[in-house]
Amino acid sequence: MKKILLLNGPNLNLLGTREPEIYGNTTLDELVESLARRFPDVHFDHFQSNCEGALVDRLHAAWREGGYAGVVLNAGAYTHTSVALRDAIAAVGGMDVVEVHLSNVHRREEFRHRSLISAVCRGVICGFGTESYALAVAALVR
């Protein structure tokens, strides 16, 4: 059974209620449950934090633990600001990280158009709502 880490950053704990016109009505728990149903041969570990250091620590821990097919990372606002998270992804080379976003960040505010983490991720998927996560999982398990 393949193992994937779902790593979610700031404000994603508010999914389902936070700006549903942008992020939809699905809660984070519902998203994780949906992925587990859709990919029954995948074991999902899930971690969400509003704290940058906690995300870096969890990524390091996953790398040390080993056995992960990869990481689906929605870094939220840290996508555009976190050199620390970018460096952590680079440091765990050999572990595939897919950057995901629910919204199409390129159709939004200018500051969201630049990602500090994209260059060190295996790929980037954005704009498909919760399907962005499913696409990332599908890519990692192939």
Side-chain angles (χ1 to χ4, degrees):
M1 178 175 280
K2 294 197 179 202
K3 188 166 74 165
I4 290 179
L5 174 61
L6 304 172
L7 191 58
N8 286 282
N11 300 310
L12 288 157
N13 56 308
L14 300 178
L15 284 181
T17 58
R18 174 188 177 213
E19 300 175 275
E21 66 281 1
I22 296 173
Y23 301 109
N25 295 308
T26 303
T27 68
L28 191 54
D29 287 340
E30 290 168 341
L31 172 57
V32 174
E33 291 166 9
S34 168
L35 290 170
R37 283 192 306 275
R38 190 161 173 183
F39 298 94
D41 294 333
V42 175
H43 171 81
F44 292 100
D45 287 333
H46 173 247
F47 183 78
Q48 185 279 327
S49 180
N50 295 317
C51 300
E52 181 180 37
L55 296 168
V56 168
D57 288 344
R58 185 60 187 103
L59 186 61
H60 289 179
W63 180 68
R64 281 192 302 274
E65 291 165 21
Y68 283 93
V71 178
V72 175
L73 171 61
N74 185 338
Y78 290 137
T79 300
H80 320 289
T81 64
S82 180
V83 174
L85 195 52
R86 183 242 180 258
D87 288 351
I89 296 165
V92 299
M95 188 166 71
D96 286 337
V97 177
V98 177
E99 175 185 345
V100 300
H101 301 282
L102 295 162
S103 67
N104 180 348
V105 294
H106 303 287
R107 294 183 70 191
R108 299 189 58 201
E109 305 92 338
E110 183 71 28
F111 72 89
R112 295 186 197 274
H113 297 183
R114 182 158 188 257
S115 168
L116 296 183
I117 65 173
S118 292
V120 292
C121 288
R122 170 98 170 129
V124 179
I125 301 170
C126 71
F128 296 100
T130 57
E131 188 66 14
S132 293
Y133 284 78
L135 291 166
V137 170
L140 287 170
V141 296
R142 284 193 195 143

